[in-house]
Amino acid sequence: MKIAEIMTTEVALAAPDESLQRAADTMLSKDVGCLPVGDKGKLVGMLTDRDITIRGVARGLGADATVSQVMNTQVRYCYQDQDVDDVARNMAELQVRRLPVVSRDKDLVGIVSLADFAHSGETRSADQLMKGVAVPHH
């Protein structure tokens, strides 16, 4: 099974130049803890609620600071045509619960999360991923 078959295609995005307040409002309304950051259809970063708190607020940035000031630019991602088992293994090794999904042209096409694996029926992949992300971070 390929990631394209289980990923979520309706993904809320943040723009690099939008305010942290607007991005946080999007997170609140969509009930998500992270947003891919896109620029002209390309994935350029990831923004988490933790980025806003630690890289933004804790450093004295206000709600009008931009996403690009606090986003993580070292983005991990997977390809839509990758095998579900391979992506689960990679996510477990990285200890992440979600990954942006891109086409081979690096266009953002979706996001895959732990929940997507759990609902996919791919129990081996879901179990492998759960074991990897359940490891306490040090």
Side-chain angles (χ1 to χ4, degrees):
M1 182 179 283
K2 303 297 182 192
I3 284 299
E5 297 174 62
I6 70 166
M7 71 183 187
T8 300
T9 56
E10 292 184 27
V11 181
L13 285 176
D17 60 348
E18 81 180 52
S19 71
L20 293 182
Q21 180 177 5
R22 183 178 175 119
D25 185 57
T26 300
M27 288 180 183
L28 177 64
S29 67
K30 301 292 185 184
D31 192 28
V32 296
C34 77
L35 294 171
V37 181
D39 189 23
K40 299 180 182 95
K42 301 295 182 193
L43 183 64
V44 296
M46 285 293 285
L47 178 71
T48 66
D49 47 9
R50 190 170 193 277
D51 293 330
I52 293 171
T53 304
I54 304 300
R55 292 182 179 167
V57 175
R59 292 187 178 159
L61 297 178
D64 58 341
T66 63
V67 167
S68 64
Q69 290 178 271
V70 301
M71 71 182 189
N72 185 344
T73 57
Q74 295 181 345
V75 182
R76 307 286 189 202
Y77 56 87
C78 64
Y79 292 104
Q80 64 186 354
D81 60 358
Q82 277 185 275
D83 186 73
V84 169
D85 288 337
D86 293 339
V87 174
R89 189 171 25 263
N90 188 32
M91 289 174 69
E93 288 172 8
L94 296 171
Q95 296 183 351
V96 297
R97 296 174 183 265
R98 65 193 60 80
L99 274 181
V101 181
V102 298
S103 69
R104 289 291 171 175
D105 294 329
K106 301 275 178 78
D107 294 320
L108 182 67
V109 295
I111 194 161
V112 66
S113 70
L114 181 59
D116 295 323
F117 282 91
H119 294 108
S120 72
E122 292 287 316
T123 56
R124 187 178 74 230
S125 297
D127 288 348
Q128 180 179 24
L129 179 52
M130 277 299 294
K131 288 176 186 165
V133 297
V135 175
H137 296 273
H138 297 294

